[in-house]
């Protein structure tokens, strides 16, 4: 019998993030979304 894997939290997170980015890139240019994500990463590095 095949082993059933639970979804990885990281994969779930990235899937949701990419869905959100796709949804909003109609209104927000992708380079602006990238700037926001970079700013967030910079804050985490803090």
């Amino acid at each position: 019998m095949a082993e059933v894997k639970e979804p990885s939290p990281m994969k779930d997170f990235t899937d949701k993030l990419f869905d959100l980015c796709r949804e909003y890139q109609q209104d927000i240019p992708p380079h602006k979304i990238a700037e926001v994500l970079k700013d967030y990463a910079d804050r985490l590095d803090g």
Side-chain angles (χ1 to χ4, degrees):
M1 180 185 267
E3 181 181 332
V4 177
K5 287 187 175 182
E6 291 187 29
S8 138
M10 186 61 158
K11 171 110 173 69
D12 188 42
F13 171 78
T14 54
D15 288 348
K16 288 177 183 178
L17 178 63
F18 292 164
D19 288 345
L20 186 65
C21 290
R22 273 191 292 277
E23 179 181 339
Y24 281 95
Q25 72 183 5
Q26 299 299 319
D27 301 314
I28 303 170
H31 71 276
K32 288 293 187 182
I33 293 172
E35 284 178 21
V36 169
L37 294 173
K38 184 182 179 318
D39 289 346
Y40 180 68
D42 290 345
R43 287 182 188 183
L44 290 176
D45 289 341

